[in-house]
Amino acid sequence: MRASAVNVVAVGKAAGPMLTEFVQSANVRVQTAIGIGPAQPGMLPSEAAWFEAGHPVPDERSVAAARGALEVAHRTADDDLLIVLLSGGASALMALPAEGLTLGDKQETVRGLLKGGATIHELNTVRKHLSAIKGGRLAAATRAAVVTLVISDVVGDDLSVIGSSPTMPDPSTFADALKVLDARGGRARYPAAVVSHLERGARGDIDETPKPDDPRIPRSVARIIGGRMTAVAGAVEAARSRGYDVHTIAAPIVGEAREAAGMYADQVRQALSRFAPPLCVLGSGETTVHVTGNGIGGRNQEFALAMVSSIADLTRSAPHEIEAVFGSIGTDGIDGPTDAAGAIIDATTLTRAAAGGLDPAAYLRNNDSYHFFSALGDLVHTGPTGTNVGDVQVALIA
């Protein structure tokens, strides 16, 4: 695709490295480049400007970043090319409320959906219909051709969901967004302005997001360049280099975290019946947490906490005498509203918890996995990794 000049918008947790690599490696003239992420990265190309923004709940910086991205789109001439480098976290980092809505409306809605255990598909269906930039609207803001390169954090790599799809057509509708609110606490739980906006859209009083045949985005294409299996491939290589046989669970790990933990434990038992230690069992995906308590944690920490009883059973029922350790880690290095990436457990976790007066079941009921693992010193801290391709679950059995 030939173009007179190229403008670049990089948005998401991997925006810094993606932007730097593209500007330094692409054999094109970059006219304008902006990056939007949760924190200022290191050295950026001289052509690039940086917008730091809020995540997982958008803030005023997210609004400024969205306006900056739209400005780049508007400035991109017909015969130029707009490159969008998209990665996980973009939905919150680039947020512009639709007309008649406030940032506070969106913040309250996102918090309610997250607490209600909404899936990423549900969450982004609502986000797209409360936004002036998501659901294809960024691509609709320019007459130039748009190429989006995507690092996916969504199971299934659905381009209409990743980052709330600012450049691709959106098959979901206002009516779908209302169904999400109904399923996640009911409309009365959400701001009246949000409910009214979605209801007006469902009646046809507000234009829908661009659909696959929409003439506003005829020159927009996207390609997945990385995803959860990229992380799994790296984990497989690392495990084999340390002498482990590796069994990879092909199906994504999804659903409510504590329920998915039980299914993962069953998969580990099945692997142990077929393979001898040393064995590494790898899973990947993205779970959800329906928050009913008032504790602190993230989906990986809750997953690990739900595995505590299973790992003792696993050790007792294994056909070999084994030692096992398990971890669930967010590849972005941030698990929920905490400073940890996840947590690890082993056969000593229950004993050490009892010695410290910690009841795993009580902490799980209160969604307080962070304080449980913090007391044991079993949180995993990596710091932000500069990417996001979902979560990885690892069982090491010796």
Side-chain angles (χ1 to χ4, degrees), residues 64-263:
R67 295 190 191 282
L70 284 173
E71 185 178 341
V72 172
H74 290 313
R75 287 206 314 260
T76 306
D78 296 19
D79 58 347
D80 290 344
L81 180 63
L82 178 63
I83 297 287
V84 177
L85 307 174
L86 189 68
S87 57
S91 295
L93 293 163
M94 187 173 67
L96 184 63
E99 185 177 354
L101 298 177
T102 67
L103 178 61
D105 293 330
K106 292 195 69 174
Q107 290 170 328
E108 186 177 344
T109 301
V110 169
R111 289 191 187 99
L113 291 169
L114 289 171
K115 188 172 183 179
T119 67
I120 190 64
H121 290 75
E122 292 173 325
L123 183 61
N124 286 0
T125 292
V126 175
R127 281 167 158 165
K128 285 182 283 190
H129 289 88
L130 302 179
S131 175
I133 194 170
K134 297 178 174 66
R137 292 187 178 94
L138 178 61
T142 183
R143 291 177 294 180
V146 182
V147 174
T148 306
L149 303 177
V150 184
I151 293 179
S152 172
D153 67 331
V154 172
V155 172
D157 297 338
D158 187 337
L159 288 167
S160 71
V161 176
I162 303 165
S164 294
S165 183
T167 60
M168 295 303 294
D170 172 34
S172 70
T173 65
F174 281 102
D176 293 330
L178 283 170
K179 289 177 183 176
V180 173
L181 299 194
D182 292 338
R184 298 297 176 180
R187 300 183 193 186
R189 180 176 181 175
Y190 298 94
V194 165
V195 175
S196 174
H197 178 84
L198 296 178
E199 289 175 342
R200 288 169 56 217
R203 291 195 302 268
D205 297 338
I206 300 173
D207 286 344
E208 261 291 357
T209 50
K211 303 307 175 199
D213 59 350
D214 197 300
R216 290 174 289 177
I217 53 171
R219 303 169 66 197
S220 184
V221 297
R223 297 289 182 271
I224 303 288
I225 61 173
R228 72 180 179 95
M229 296 312 294
T230 311
V232 170
V236 168
E237 183 179 349
R240 285 178 176 159
S241 73
R242 289 160 173 79
Y244 288 92
D245 285 334
V246 180
H247 171 67
T248 300
I249 299 170
I253 308 294
V254 295
E256 184 70 22
R258 61 185 68 186
E259 296 171 6
M263 290 184 283

